Amino acid sequence: LSYYSQSIYQTCDSNKPPIEDHINTTTISVHKEVLSPNGSVVASIYLVSDMREVNRQLVDMALGVIALLAMAMGITYFMIRKSQGIITKPIINLVSTAERVSKNDYSVRAEKFYNDECGVLADTFNTMMGEVENRKDELEEIVEQRTKDLKFTIQRLEEANDDKKIWIQNIGHEI
């Protein structure tokens, strides 16, 4: 403080401190005159504060805040990465299952990971696929039975046609 006091007094006329307040990056100086009741200056108060320590503390606090923000961002990043897998894994699995179904694999089922909305969706999808597979099996049985019936009918018609040809030949010989 004595260094600043000396340098300020040396720059002023007749060892009087400057009248205006002064703020810069290293010091703050404040001047106040004390007046008597009749308005004359009785005393002058001049305060000078070294701001280097305050500036250092501000820099330290700013670096601390930056470090905390960086740590918070890092933690947030890893939490998002972890939760992203939790959210997207069931959906990706359901998409993969749907792609297999689109290639006529009706026996595939979606894996249920959690008891949340995606779990309900997987259960509903699996129920639907069970119904589709059952209906597919029923339709295949119907097609198989109708194919047998059709083959039997064709065989009977061919036999009847053969009998008709023989009958026509016999009639043709008799005429």
Side-chain angles (χ1 to χ4, degrees):
L1 185 63
S2 63
Y3 166 76
Y4 290 107
S5 298
Q6 288 174 1
S7 64
I8 291 171
Y9 281 113
Q10 289 173 357
T11 59
C12 300
D13 295 335
S14 67
N15 291 333
K16 267 178 107 176
I19 294 178
E20 40 317 299
D21 297 339
H22 180 71
I23 299 173
N24 66 31
T25 58
T26 58
T27 60
I28 292 180
S29 58
V30 179
H31 173 258
K32 184 69 177 171
E33 292 181 338
V34 179
L35 303 176
S36 68
N38 66 1
S40 63
V41 176
V42 180
S44 284
I45 299 174
Y46 190 69
L47 298 173
V48 177
S49 178
D50 185 357
M51 295 302 295
R52 287 182 286 190
E53 180 63 23
V54 173
N55 289 341
R56 188 192 62 71
Q57 288 177 355
L58 284 173
V59 168
D60 288 348
M61 282 192 273
L63 291 174
V65 167
I66 290 170
L68 283 174
L69 285 174
M71 287 187 336
M73 287 173 57
I75 291 169
T76 303
Y77 172 78
F78 288 111
M79 288 176 65
I80 288 172
R81 291 286 301 222
K82 178 76 172 157
S83 65
Q84 183 181 15
I86 292 171
I87 294 169
T88 59
K89 186 176 182 180
I91 295 170
I92 290 170
N93 179 268
L94 190 59
V95 168
S96 172
T97 304
E99 287 173 349
R100 288 180 57 193
V101 168
S102 72
K103 295 176 183 166
N104 298 326
D105 183 2
Y106 300 111
S107 64
V108 70
R109 297 295 182 264
E111 185 177 350
K112 181 178 177 179
F113 292 93
Y114 311 105
N115 289 324
D116 59 359
E117 294 84 357
C118 288
V120 171
L121 184 60
D123 287 341
T124 305
F125 182 85
N126 291 337
T127 302
M128 180 183 69
M129 288 313 304
E131 292 174 12
V132 167
E133 188 174 28
N134 290 340
R135 184 65 180 147
K136 177 186 156 276
D137 292 342
E138 289 172 7
L139 289 174
E140 285 177 350
E141 287 176 17
I142 291 171
V143 167
E144 186 178 324
Q145 183 60 43
R146 288 191 180 166
T147 301
K148 285 179 183 177
D149 293 346
L150 192 57
K151 284 180 180 179
F152 179 74
T153 303
I154 289 172
Q155 182 181 0
R156 298 282 308 217
L157 287 173
E158 286 175 349
E159 289 173 1
N161 191 31
D162 289 343
D163 289 345
K164 182 181 90 172
K165 285 180 184 178
I166 293 172
W167 183 75
I168 290 175
Q169 286 175 354
N170 289 338
I171 290 182
H173 287 301
E174 290 180 17
I175 297 184

